[in-house]
Amino acid sequence: DTEVTQTPKHLVMGMTNKKSLKCEQHMGHRAMYWYKQKAKKPPELMFVYSYEKLSINESVPSRFSPECPNSSLLNLHLHALQPEDSALYLCASSQWENQPQHFGDGTRLSIL
Amino acid sequence: GDSVTQMEGPVTLSEEAFLTINCTYTATGYPSLFWYVQYPGEGLQLLLKATKADDKGSNKGFEATYRKETTSFHLEKGSVQVSDSAVYFCALSDFGGSGGSNYKLTFGKGTLLTVNP
């Protein structure tokens, strides 16, 4: 069992839909991350929240909108996605900077 | 900038064979080094870490030593099992580096390991 919980595990959506991915951790970690992982590739960093404030946005298209409602929760709002956005979306957390990151099992997203 | 180079594989071994996956890095600051493992259909799990030169990380029979003189962090296991079949990622986090952030993990491309019975 991982200590970072992501829901849903699988999501299929059309290009005009709006959906959200959710991530939760109860380890008291103050940094939370979204990654995108394509098949047979390493994860690519999308966003970093530090102390509930957006710290890094890796030039991600605006159709991905992150939100950190509190120190335990991280959301990724999706709107008007493209087929190339189909991937595994991983959430991670760490105690603070430069500490090991703990990953969830991800949401496998398919865009029709 | 920072980078991690690891042997891409795939690597196929028989059960109880010795495993080495090579990893070298370049970094401008004081990197911490990690090995992550990803089993099929799952997220990444931290396998082991080392935060300074000559540190040895170990877990589940896997070991890696932080070698600053050779900028390496090779993963080894003396006797692999079928259950070790997974993708292994070497990664670094560069504290104080010129990469701009202490939060960023730089990953190698991953090595697919398959262990046959």
Side-chain angles (χ1 to χ4, degrees):
Chain A
D1 289 342
T2 60
E3 296 173 356
V4 176
T5 304
Q6 291 188 242
T7 55
K9 292 191 183 303
H10 302 275
L11 179 62
V12 179
M13 58 186 287
M15 289 191 284
T16 58
N17 292 155
K18 288 184 180 181
K19 296 285 185 183
S20 297
L21 309 184
K22 297 185 183 300
C23 174
E24 189 168 5
Q25 59 88 12
H26 293 289
M27 295 178 282
H29 289 176
R30 303 318 301 263
M32 295 186 76
Y33 311 76
W34 280 115
Y35 288 86
K36 174 183 178 180
Q37 187 181 25
K38 300 287 273 186
K40 301 185 180 181
K41 298 289 186 183
E44 299 174 10
L45 183 65
M46 300 175 71
F47 302 104
V48 179
Y49 273 82
S50 170
Y51 291 86
E52 300 162 50
K53 289 186 173 17
L54 185 63
S55 174
I56 295 175
N57 177 341
E58 290 287 283
S59 302
V60 178
S62 60
R63 57 186 184 268
F64 294 92
S65 175
E67 177 196 20
C68 189
N70 60 56
S71 61
S72 300
L73 293 174
L74 187 65
N75 298 322
L76 186 63
H77 303 298
L78 314 173
H79 174 54
L81 295 194
Q82 303 299 308
E84 61 265 28
D85 297 323
S86 297
L88 180 68
Y89 287 83
L90 293 165
C91 175
S93 70
S94 65
Q95 194 169 18
W96 49 72
E97 62 186 352
N98 209 42
Q99 296 299 303
Q101 294 180 23
H102 298 258
F103 287 79
D105 282 339
T107 294
R108 190 160 299 281
L109 176 66
S110 297
I111 307 301
L112 300 179
Chain B
D2 299 338
S3 67
V4 174
T5 303
Q6 63 178 104
M7 55 189 288
E8 292 186 31
V11 174
T12 302
L13 297 173
S14 297
E15 207 164 22
E16 299 184 2
F18 184 85
L19 169 70
T20 299
I21 301 177
N22 290 337
C23 172
T24 58
Y25 67 90
T26 58
T28 55
Y30 307 95
S32 294
L33 302 174
F34 310 93
W35 277 101
Y36 283 88
V37 58
Q38 186 171 30
Y39 299 102
E42 298 184 9
L44 277 69
Q45 296 179 24
L46 178 65
L47 183 59
L48 52 83
K49 65 172 180 163
T51 57
K52 62 183 187 297
D54 299 325
D55 270 0
K56 177 186 280 189
S58 61
N59 186 25
K60 301 181 181 179
F62 290 90
E63 293 183 341
T65 301
Y66 188 143
R67 301 284 189 201
K68 190 174 181 180
E69 63 277 12
T70 54
T71 62
S72 65
F73 192 55
H74 305 320
L75 182 68
E76 296 182 337
K77 187 176 185 183
S79 177
V80 293
Q81 306 300 311
V82 172
S83 57
D84 294 326
S85 298
V87 178
Y88 292 80
F89 291 99
C90 185
L92 72 82
S93 175
D94 195 2
F95 189 77
S98 63
S101 169
N102 297 324
Y103 290 100
K104 293 185 70 170
L105 271 178
T106 300
F107 287 95
K109 292 186 176 182
T111 302
L112 173 61
L113 170 67
T114 301
V115 181
N116 295 317

